[in-house]
Amino acid sequence: MGCVPTKHAGRSPHSLDTREAVALASETSCEKVDLPDFVNIATGTAFTVSEVEALHDLFRKISNSIIKDNLISKEEFHVALFRNKTKQNLFVDRVFDLFDQKRNGVIEFGEFVRSLSVFHPDAPEEQKVAFAFKLYDLRQTGFIERNELKEMVLALLDESDLDITADAVEMIVDRADTKGDGRIDQEEWTAFAKDNPYVLRNMTLPYLKDITMVFPSFVVHSEISEADMAA
């Protein structure tokens, strides 16, 4: 059975954005359309198909930097962010755990793209708020405990070279724990993030709109300032 030409006929799927590529699949009358995996991976993310291709080149470099298996290990993740495989950081470990959606100790390409999409400037804010909540919920209890929030704030401060007093950190936690029960639920976190947008600044990587071959650092390039933290 032949194919019925469509308005996208003659164009490579690689040159289409996500919506156009999916339309190409649905509009044709071919019994089977052999589209690259990039199309399926891009669907539901903030990336176009061509951007996913660029990310794949980046992914291959990272995933083969120590062990050539096309999977990003935690060690490779650390090296990509800090160029130092011996440096441990609570924040980076937690980000790795959230990227590792299958919980098998490595990050596959699809996981890499879908997780990184949350950090895209065009990603919905509610996605960023939800991801940040999981990030700070270190023990995965469904709540952010006061000590968990303090640990994460201190880890961010350490990597951002900011000198904030212990009292200032306590004030930050107090503003989040509006119910005064020693933990922050999703409702409190959503309200806190809305009133204190600086807590989501590390959830947006502007250069994902123009993907380069430099792996984005979630910590080193944080734009958090002392004024923001104390506000």
Side-chain angles (χ1 to χ4, degrees):
M1 182 176 180
C3 297
V4 176
T6 74
K7 62 183 178 182
H8 300 301
R11 294 179 60 187
S12 165
H14 296 190
S15 69
L16 307 177
D17 64 22
T18 306
R19 291 183 298 273
E20 290 175 328
V22 172
L24 175 60
S26 62
E27 289 173 6
T28 180
S29 62
C30 292
E31 298 216 356
K32 181 178 178 182
V33 179
D34 187 17
L35 291 176
D37 286 340
F38 298 125
V39 175
N40 292 327
I41 292 173
T43 302
T45 75
F47 297 113
T48 65
V49 175
S50 59
E51 288 171 335
V52 170
E53 284 192 271
L55 283 174
H56 187 251
D57 290 337
L58 179 59
F59 178 84
R60 285 188 302 174
K61 288 189 175 183
I62 299 170
S63 62
N64 294 298
S65 60
I66 297 177
I67 301 174
K68 298 186 183 302
D69 58 359
N70 290 314
L71 298 167
I72 298 178
S73 66
K74 183 170 287 190
E75 188 177 21
E76 288 170 325
F77 199 70
H78 274 272
V79 172
L81 266 65
F82 294 111
R83 308 299 179 193
N84 180 358
K85 63 183 178 182
T86 64
K87 185 169 184 175
Q88 298 298 310
N89 177 269
L90 179 66
F91 182 77
V92 178
D93 284 344
R94 186 61 185 137
V95 171
F96 178 89
D97 290 342
L98 290 177
F99 272 51
D100 177 19
Q101 297 169 354
K102 293 183 178 179
R103 303 290 187 268
N104 58 358
V106 293
I107 300 172
E108 300 174 8
F109 181 57
E111 295 173 317
F112 179 73
V113 174
R114 287 188 292 271
S115 299
L116 200 58
S117 177
V118 177
F119 295 84
H120 194 284
D122 293 339
E125 184 172 309
E126 55 267 26
Q127 287 186 8
K128 298 178 185 294
V129 172
F131 191 96
F133 184 84
K134 293 178 182 178
L135 181 65
Y136 286 87
D137 179 14
L138 299 178
R139 293 159 186 83
Q140 303 175 54
T141 62
F143 297 91
I144 302 175
E145 307 291 340
R146 286 182 62 92
N147 62 319
E148 290 177 332
L149 184 54
K150 287 175 64 174
E151 286 181 56
M152 294 303 294
V153 169
L154 290 171
L156 283 170
L157 293 175
D158 179 61
E159 291 302 333
S160 301
D161 294 324
L162 296 179
D163 185 17
I164 302 294
T165 67
D167 287 343
V169 174
E170 286 291 342
M171 288 177 61
I172 293 171
V173 176
D174 287 340
R175 289 203 299 266
D177 183 18
T178 58
K179 296 178 181 178
D181 57 3
R183 61 185 187 179
I184 297 97
D185 59 26
Q186 292 189 13
E187 181 183 2
E188 288 174 303
W189 176 252
T190 299
F192 180 70
K194 181 178 180 180
D195 294 337
N196 301 272
Y198 70 84
V199 301
L200 298 179
R201 283 193 180 178
N202 64 318
M203 294 300 304
T204 297
L205 302 172
Y207 37 87
L208 284 181
K209 275 198 168 185
D210 182 21
I211 297 170
T212 67
M213 298 309 292
V214 178
F215 185 72
S217 168
F218 303 98
V219 178
V220 176
H221 295 286
S222 173
E223 297 180 358
I224 299 175
S225 68
E226 293 188 38
D228 283 335
M229 299 293 288

